[in-house]
Amino acid sequence: MPYTSHYLTCAGREIHFTEWGAGSAGTVIAWHGLARTGRDMDELAAQLAPRFRVLCPDTIGRGLSQWSPQPREEYCLDFYAELATRYLATVNTSSR
């Protein structure tokens, strides 16, 4: 199943994500682990896509997302949580 590639600005940083499917059963966010990328979720997303909309973001500094100009302040759990919160608040209106 094909996916589309998107970019979204969250907390002043450009976040890349892939979007799979358009299922009506809801949206699944498949966010990778610390040293991975959103493309690691391709197999899972392809399986879920017939039923769900699946979004697979790249954390800053990973995949196609922007690298941080302030790594000491932004490559940490607090900033990752801020990015995730803003991503979730924004993604429903920006990618459809």
Side-chain angles (χ1 to χ4, degrees), residues 3 14-15 18 28 35-36 44-45 47 55 59 62 68 70 73 75 85 91 93 95:
Y3 64 87
E14 187 177 69
I15 301 297
T18 57
V28 173
R36 307 305 302 215
L44 172 66
Q47 292 295 313
L55 305 176
T59 299
R62 302 281 183 241
S68 173
Q70 302 172 316
E73 292 83 19
Y75 293 149
T85 300
V91 76
T93 58
S95 62

Side-chain angles (χ1 to χ4, degrees), residues 2-51:
Y3 64 87
T4 56
S5 182
H6 303 272
Y7 290 88
L8 179 65
T9 301
C10 299
R13 301 290 169 252
E14 187 177 69
I15 301 297
H16 172 263
F17 66 99
T18 57
E19 180 175 17
W20 299 72
S24 60
T27 299
V28 173
I29 308 292
W31 210 309
H32 63 84
L34 184 60
R36 307 305 302 215
T37 74
R39 296 306 308 273
D40 291 334
M41 301 298 173
D42 285 0
E43 189 174 331
L44 172 66
Q47 292 295 313
L48 294 174
R51 186 162 178 217

Side-chain angles (χ1 to χ4, degrees), residues 53-71:
R53 175 183 179 217
V54 184
L55 305 176
C56 305
D58 290 325
T59 299
I60 59 168
R62 302 281 183 241
L64 297 177
S65 287
Q66 177 183 359
W67 287 75
S68 173
Q70 302 172 316

